[in-house]
Amino acid sequence: DVKVTQSSRYLVKRTGEKVFLECVQDMDHENMFWYRQDPGLGLRLIYFSYDVKMKEKGDIPEGYSVSREKKERFSLILESASTNQTSMYLCASGTVGLRTDTQYFGPGTRLTVL
Amino acid sequence: DQQVKQNSPSLSVQEGRISILNCDYTNSMFDYFLWYKKYPAEGPTFLISISSIKDKNEDGRFTVFLNKSAKHLSLHIVPSQPGDSAVYFCAASSNFGNEKLTFGTGTRLTIIP
């Protein structure tokens, strides 16, 4: 059974704080993704990674950075949190080459920036 | 620019009836389509997919139909059950997208007992 875990289910931070969201997958997947989910906007891709130390910008990378030092772990970093980054953050992982494009999601982190 | 659109934010269906969720896309490079289901406080889970070489894929109570000329896909759930109440997202990818998915805005389905 594929398992994607995220470090926190709920997080409250203050404007200007540096925020780390951690994601770990146990299926040896090459690809990992960070999305945010907002009402009326669906899931929007922030960053993704195809391999260790590789990263690619998604559709809304501004204000975020990522780190992938180990294959199983993908971190999302908010360098200076702002109120418009209040959202549900979802991590996902998936394999390459099978052309199934199925991604497996973690439970999400509800981040509130005050 | 929303490349994948779900124009109905919500849908209510009687238990036992058919639920039809719709999705439109604009990018003609998309060649693989998926539906995900999301319960509150959980991550989305994969439901069913379809390749552009097909026009229909069935898995139990769930059937996805693809109309490439209209750039439209739909998910049919028959019969609808209370456990189907969730938010449904359609997603699309292209062979050149390196497994990157573009998601729609979601449709909240409520099954009325």
Side-chain angles (χ1 to χ4, degrees):
Chain A
D1 224 16
V2 176
K3 194 156 187 185
V4 180
T5 56
Q6 294 183 228
S7 51
S8 305
R9 294 300 298 269
Y10 300 94
L11 211 51
V12 180
K13 295 291 181 182
R14 297 212 174 269
T15 301
E17 279 192 79
K18 191 169 186 176
V19 182
F20 293 87
L21 302 181
E22 301 282 332
C23 175
V24 178
Q25 51 100 358
D26 67 357
M27 283 302 292
D28 202 36
H29 286 162
E30 294 86 355
N31 295 344
M32 295 189 76
F33 307 82
W34 274 106
Y35 296 87
R36 62 179 282 178
Q37 182 195 356
D38 300 288
L41 297 176
L43 274 68
R44 293 181 293 165
L45 183 63
I46 304 171
Y47 265 98
F48 56 108
S49 169
Y50 296 129
D51 203 347
V52 175
K53 297 193 187 297
M54 303 289 286
K55 61 184 179 183
E56 295 278 346
K57 291 180 180 179
D59 300 317
I60 51 164
E62 296 79 19
Y64 304 94
S65 62
V66 290
S67 172
R68 193 163 181 204
E69 297 296 318
K70 293 185 177 182
K71 191 175 185 180
E72 69 272 16
R73 190 179 296 268
F74 192 33
S75 301
L76 179 70
I77 303 153
L78 288 66
E79 294 289 343
S80 177
S82 63
T83 54
N84 62 13
Q85 292 179 309
T86 292
S87 186
M88 169 69 82
Y89 289 88
L90 293 158
C91 174
S93 72
T95 56
V96 297
L98 298 178
R99 202 65 244 287
T100 61
D101 297 356
T102 304
Q103 294 179 15
Y104 300 88
F105 284 82
T109 296
R110 171 75 63 186
L111 173 67
T112 301
V113 182
L114 302 175
Chain B
D1 180 31
Q2 194 75 28
Q3 297 186 68
V4 179
K5 300 176 186 179
Q6 294 175 257
N7 291 318
S8 298
S10 63
L11 177 68
S12 294
V13 174
Q14 288 275 336
E15 182 179 357
R17 299 287 186 104
I18 183 171
S19 294
I20 301 176
L21 293 90
N22 294 303
C23 180
D24 297 294
Y25 62 96
T26 57
N27 188 340
S28 58
M29 299 300 292
F30 288 146
D31 63 349
Y32 197 80
F33 304 89
L34 307 90
W35 284 93
Y36 280 81
K37 176 179 179 179
K38 186 181 185 298
Y39 291 120
E42 294 183 14
T45 54
F46 170 73
L47 195 56
I48 192 169
S49 62
I50 187 166
S51 166
S52 61
I53 62 173
K54 295 184 174 182
D55 54 19
K56 177 182 172 181
N57 188 27
E58 198 170 345
D59 183 2
R61 296 186 298 114
F62 302 92
T63 303
V64 57
F65 294 91
L66 176 63
N67 182 334
K68 288 189 292 294
S69 61
K71 293 191 176 68
H72 177 82
L73 64 154
S74 60
L75 174 68
H76 291 211
I77 307 173
V78 183
S80 300
Q81 298 175 353
D84 296 329
S85 294
V87 177
Y88 290 79
F89 292 98
C90 68
S93 70
S94 72
N95 198 29
F96 304 100
N98 292 310
E99 286 79 35
K100 190 177 87 162
L101 295 178
T102 300
F103 283 85
T105 52
T107 296
R108 180 177 300 279
L109 175 65
T110 302
I111 305 302
I112 304 164

